Amino acid sequence: MSEFDHEVVIVGLGPTGLTLANLLGRHGIDVLVLEREPDYYGLARAVYTDDECLRVFQNAGVADELAADMNIDSTVQWVRGDGRILAQFNQIERPLGWPVSNFLYQPYLENGLERALGRYPHVTVRRGRAVVGFDQDTAAVRVRHTACSGTGYGTRDARLEPDSTETVRAKFLVGCDGGRSIVRTELGIDMSGTSFPERWLVVDLKARDGVDAFRHLPYFDFVCDPELPIVSCPQPDGHHRFEFMLRADQTKEQMEDTDTVRRHIARYVDPDEVEVLRKLVYTFNAVVADRWRERRILLAGDAAHMTPQFIGQGMNSGVRDADNLSWKLAAILRHGVDPEILDSYERERRPHAEAMIALSVFNKNVVSLGNPMLAAARDIGIRTAARLPVLGELIRTAKIKPAPRFRRGSYLGLPRPLIRGVQGRLAPQPEVRTYHGRHLRLDDALGAGFAVLGYAADPRQAFSAADLETLRALGARFVTVYPLGGRPQGKPGQGREDITDIEDHTGVLTRWFRRARLRPGGVVLLRPDRYVFGTAMPGQAATLIGAVNRQLRPEFAVATRAQETR
């Protein structure tokens, strides 16, 4: 580190930058976070998160604290203008260990993530510092930043203090600085997609002290009213959001007027029982950056893609970016992995981000139909679809959301078979039981890095000594998963291993191993983001290790082959 001031510089202290800083901090990476705004925003933008992202927060060590401030397991529904329900989304199963539908108040989430950074003395946060330039060579990125008065989050021009400019040298730079990203702009990277003309008025409310203003609005409603499409979103601690679609003849000034806002919210609440925290007319974009990496500089979150708000996945796409990027940076910086694995970041994340954008645009189109005849046809279609056996189940359990799996042939890992393949898919996270009889979530037993799971056997037995060295060089943890009642028993000393061992008392992992065509003795290699790198039965591990050496540690593979030749 004598040649570098920091290993990674992150630009932007929103949810993406905060998540990335926490994940890198857990991996022991020296991080500098630069935030242009000197003051915390303190108002809500994002309102929703899902089980995938809570699992990411879990791996960052903050999920339980964050979830305690969320409205969890909430029902989402499409309703008519008269309040009649067209369809409901409910998913009470927790395949990833967390509730699927969770509504949040963003200041609580950001405060929790920023507090968590205090655990890491090697993570430095500097507010009121604007990036004014950067350049890179084959070894490093030099980032110039200066004191900044801030923009009031887009309400005024920033005032810079050139005399305060500093330059830092880092190994990587990540732009998490939003839709107007200075990092993306300076790189000359364009965004492609669609900007929508529809304008919406967002109104954030807080119930006044001692008033229960929102009990009659318990669920998240997409109000499919051709006269006035509306979104109604419950939030924790007496907060609530409404979004109203504007007509073409309504101006921003008219709609943000206090009397206009009162008339609109009076449809649902007593205006005297609530405080208006924010009122803003906005339009939205569905765009993706043309590229997400320029050698040692990367883009994440809204700097890389902007998602319409209609399924609440904009923030969550950024959290997934941070998860994918963090372990790859840590593998490079701590385990000598080839930096070219960063090319896989965009290959893996872009298709999923684009799928989320497409679903959000689809939902926008469903909600905002203004033609009464088309709206009536929509209502009939939704009610009919909700009654069909397969489609209705997908709707009711919210499984129309793009699944957490990578496109075949585009990810780091063994190729996924056409039938019953788990490679490139996110592993389940059931509750498991330790030898001491304690229950915990699977990821808490696996740690922060790579993990090798052995089905009812010590996974180390499947590998040669050289293969084990490869896995240990990646920092892999070895874990035996016993089926319920399947622990070794009966003889003194039996079952004592210098290895993590857990019992699958719910049967979820046992069924998952079988779906992956693994018998006892088989192994699964999980990446740090808990996607499956590959599987193998005893005698087949060479194929798995070959893929590890080719895709993650080519220089290590050469050294190993040279030793075996000698």
Side-chain angles (χ1 to χ4, degrees), residues 406-466:
F406 298 131
R407 185 172 292 173
R408 186 176 286 106
S410 67
Y411 59 87
L412 289 178
L414 282 174
R416 182 166 61 243
L418 291 174
I419 301 175
R420 299 178 69 182
V422 298
Q423 292 86 343
R425 297 176 184 263
L426 189 59
Q429 185 187 204
E431 188 179 76
V432 295
R433 181 180 182 272
T434 70
Y435 162 74
H436 299 287
R438 303 291 186 267
H439 288 190
L440 72 164
R441 299 183 185 97
L442 174 64
D443 291 359
D444 292 334
L446 302 184
F450 285 87
V452 187
L453 308 186
Y455 179 16
D458 183 342
R460 295 171 297 187
Q461 297 172 355
F463 300 99
S464 69

Side-chain angles (χ1 to χ4, degrees), residues 25-42:
R26 189 180 182 195
H27 284 290
I29 306 301
D30 186 292
V31 178
L32 171 65
V33 187
L34 300 173
E35 168 56 51
R36 177 181 63 179
E37 304 295 336
D39 301 314
Y40 176 61
Y41 183 51

Side-chain angles (χ1 to χ4, degrees), residues 32-58:
L32 171 65
V33 187
L34 300 173
E35 168 56 51
R36 177 181 63 179
E37 304 295 336
D39 301 314
Y40 176 61
Y41 183 51
L43 293 175
R45 287 161 294 188
V47 298
Y48 169 84
T49 195
D50 58 20
D51 52 343
E52 293 176 48
C53 292
L54 276 171
R55 189 175 185 179
V56 175
F57 294 140
Q58 175 193 343

Side-chain angles (χ1 to χ4, degrees), residues 53-343:
C53 292
L54 276 171
R55 189 175 185 179
V56 175
F57 294 140
Q58 175 193 343
N59 290 333
V62 295
D64 288 306
E65 175 188 353
L66 298 180
D69 285 328
M70 293 182 187
N71 179 344
I72 66 172
D73 280 326
S74 181
T75 292
V76 176
Q77 50 192 24
W78 283 326
V79 301
R80 288 167 45 108
D82 58 12
R84 282 187 289 172
I85 297 171
L86 295 172
Q88 286 188 332
F89 305 81
N90 297 291
Q91 170 59 289
I92 59 173
E93 296 179 359
R94 302 186 179 186
L96 302 183
W98 293 95
V100 172
S101 180
N102 312 281
F103 291 94
L104 56 92
Y105 186 59
Q106 186 172 338
Y108 295 169
L109 179 129
E110 291 189 358
N111 286 339
L113 287 169
E114 190 163 359
R115 281 195 304 270
L117 291 178
R119 299 172 296 179
Y120 305 117
H122 47 281
V123 176
T124 302
V125 175
R126 297 189 64 183
R127 287 186 175 274
R129 302 296 301 184
V131 171
V132 293
F134 50 80
D135 59 85
Q136 63 177 316
D137 54 32
T138 57
V141 184
R142 285 167 295 278
V143 184
R144 297 179 295 282
H145 59 95
T146 191
C148 176
S149 64
T151 68
Y153 292 88
T155 62
R156 61 177 183 267
D157 293 334
R159 186 176 68 251
L160 304 179
E161 300 178 16
D163 292 344
S164 66
T165 299
E166 302 173 23
T167 300
V168 294
R169 195 165 187 261
K171 296 182 180 180
F172 294 97
L173 169 66
V174 185
C176 304
D177 49 340
R180 297 183 178 91
S181 169
I182 185 66
V183 177
R184 188 189 66 240
T185 301
E186 288 295 311
L187 289 173
I189 298 175
D190 293 328
M191 301 193 87
S192 301
T194 303
S195 295
F196 290 88
E198 294 98 332
R199 296 165 300 147
W200 289 72
L201 169 69
V202 59
V203 181
D204 285 327
L205 304 176
K206 175 75 165 67
R208 297 192 181 277
D209 291 344
V211 178
D212 191 356
F214 304 118
R215 184 176 291 271
H216 60 294
L217 300 170
Y219 304 134
F220 187 106
D221 292 341
F222 291 110
V223 182
C224 303
D225 182 353
E227 293 293 324
L228 179 60
I230 300 169
V231 177
S232 171
C233 175
Q235 296 172 286
D237 197 25
H239 294 91
H240 199 98
R241 170 175 293 178
F242 290 104
E243 298 183 17
F244 305 92
M245 185 173 168
L246 276 64
R247 299 191 309 269
D249 62 343
Q250 293 173 319
T251 68
K252 172 181 171 67
E253 292 72 23
Q254 289 172 337
M255 294 303 294
E256 292 179 356
D257 178 75
T258 299
D259 290 338
T260 304
V261 170
R262 285 180 62 89
R263 285 197 303 273
H264 275 67
I265 64 175
R267 178 170 175 167
Y268 291 98
V269 298
D270 182 343
D272 294 327
E273 293 185 344
V274 298
E275 177 186 359
V276 177
L277 301 180
R278 184 174 71 139
K279 49 185 180 178
L280 176 69
V281 170
Y282 69 94
T283 57
F284 55 90
N285 301 304
V287 293
V288 181
D290 293 344
R291 64 184 189 279
W292 298 12
R293 179 190 178 202
E294 184 70 35
R295 294 182 291 163
R296 291 183 171 270
I297 304 173
L298 302 110
L299 304 175
D302 282 358
H305 44 74
M306 285 186 274
T307 305
Q309 78 281 14
F310 290 94
I311 57 171
Q313 285 291 338
M315 180 196 78
N316 296 290
S317 288
V319 170
R320 293 184 184 94
D321 292 346
D323 189 32
N324 189 288
L325 193 52
S326 63
W327 78 261
K328 293 172 181 175
L329 289 171
I332 294 164
L333 295 168
R334 289 293 176 270
H335 302 293
V337 170
D338 190 335
E340 290 310 303
I341 68 166
L342 293 174
D343 281 344

Side-chain angles (χ1 to χ4, degrees), residues 344-377:
S344 70
Y345 163 59
E346 182 178 347
R347 289 201 308 269
E348 291 180 347
R349 284 292 305 130
R350 175 185 282 269
H352 193 269
E354 290 177 337
M356 285 295 187
I357 290 172
L359 180 59
S360 183
V361 171
F362 168 78
N363 193 43
K364 186 274 299 183
N365 291 336
V366 169
V367 173
S368 62
L369 276 177
N371 184 299
M373 294 184 63
L374 292 177

